[in-house]
Amino acid sequence: MVLFALCTWQVAAHGPLRSLDERLGRALTAPSGPRAALLPSPAAEFFADLGNMTVALPVLAAVVGWVAWRERGAGAGAGAGAARRWLPPLAAAVAMAAVPALVAPAKALIDRPGPPGPLADGSGFYPSGHAATAAVAYGAALLLLCPYLEHRALRRVLVAVVALLNLAVGAGLVRRGYHWPLDVVASWCLSGCLLGALWLVLRRTRR
């Protein structure tokens, strides 16, 4: 939250961090050069699309449905224990619903212009809704699945995959000119708070 507040203050006040961010963003969206070769536009577009609601939300919905189905038999009995088994998928759904509820007002309040690119004439780019959607959807799915993965090595691989996936989404959004770098970083900070709260709920429930 402190990092998110710092980023928001710098963007809203046109501080030095915003100036640095915009210089970096223009360099990363350059159509040619070594950075373009490192992440070509088609690959960047593919990764950016992984932050769309139409892609990320079905992934989380599938995991939520599977966990709810898995717990259905275990929670067949009445009582508080059975009710708590339904809390993890419900908490994940609430975390996902909180993304637009938090991002949309921030976008309207900051009203940041877009970087050079296909959306340059628009405004309301801070923070990135796509980056937050990807981080919370894939992160919440990971938190729900981890208790069912018996092998620690498999859990570590899945954590690494989700982390790399979100880095790729952020890189794609910046490379294609859909967001400034700081838009993405701020969304990761906000998503970290939501996922941290979800993790606390899940840990207490499973105890």
Side-chain angles (χ1 to χ4, degrees):
M1 283 304 295
V2 171
L3 290 174
F4 178 74
L6 174 63
C7 293
T8 304
W9 165 55
Q10 284 291 295
V11 171
H14 295 263
L17 189 59
R18 172 169 172 165
S19 300
L20 177 64
D21 175 55
E22 293 180 354
R23 287 199 299 270
L24 178 61
R26 292 188 182 95
L28 292 174
T29 56
S32 61
R35 297 180 182 87
L38 184 62
L39 187 60
S41 292
E45 185 71 31
F46 171 78
F47 289 129
D49 286 344
L50 296 180
N52 286 334
M53 275 282 188
T54 53
V55 177
L57 195 56
V59 173
L60 178 59
V63 174
V64 166
W66 182 83
V67 171
W69 173 81
R70 179 74 182 264
E71 294 296 332
R72 183 180 179 182
R84 280 198 299 271
R85 292 187 179 97
W86 291 97
L87 188 56
L90 177 61
V94 170
M96 191 71 247
V99 171
L102 295 174
V103 170
K107 282 177 173 289
L109 181 64
I110 303 300
D111 198 29
R112 187 182 192 185
L119 305 177
D121 295 333
S123 61
F125 284 77
Y126 178 94
S128 167
H130 282 69
T133 296
V136 173
Y138 302 135
L142 171 67
L143 291 175
L144 287 176
L145 285 175
C146 274
Y148 301 97
L149 303 176
E150 297 180 0
H151 299 288
R152 185 173 299 178
L154 182 58
R155 289 199 296 269
R156 289 175 178 171
V157 169
L158 191 57
V159 168
V161 168
V162 170
L164 290 174
L165 179 62
N166 278 284
L167 287 173
V169 170
L173 291 170
V174 173
R175 177 71 185 88
R176 290 293 293 141
Y178 296 143
H179 279 287
W180 300 103
L182 209 56
D183 301 343
V184 174
V185 172
S187 289
W188 286 342
C189 294
L190 189 60
S191 301
C193 297
L194 292 174
L195 292 174
L198 175 61
W199 177 76
L200 289 174
V201 171
L202 298 184
R203 186 178 67 168
R204 176 166 296 186
T205 301
R206 283 158 182 159
R207 279 180 177 176

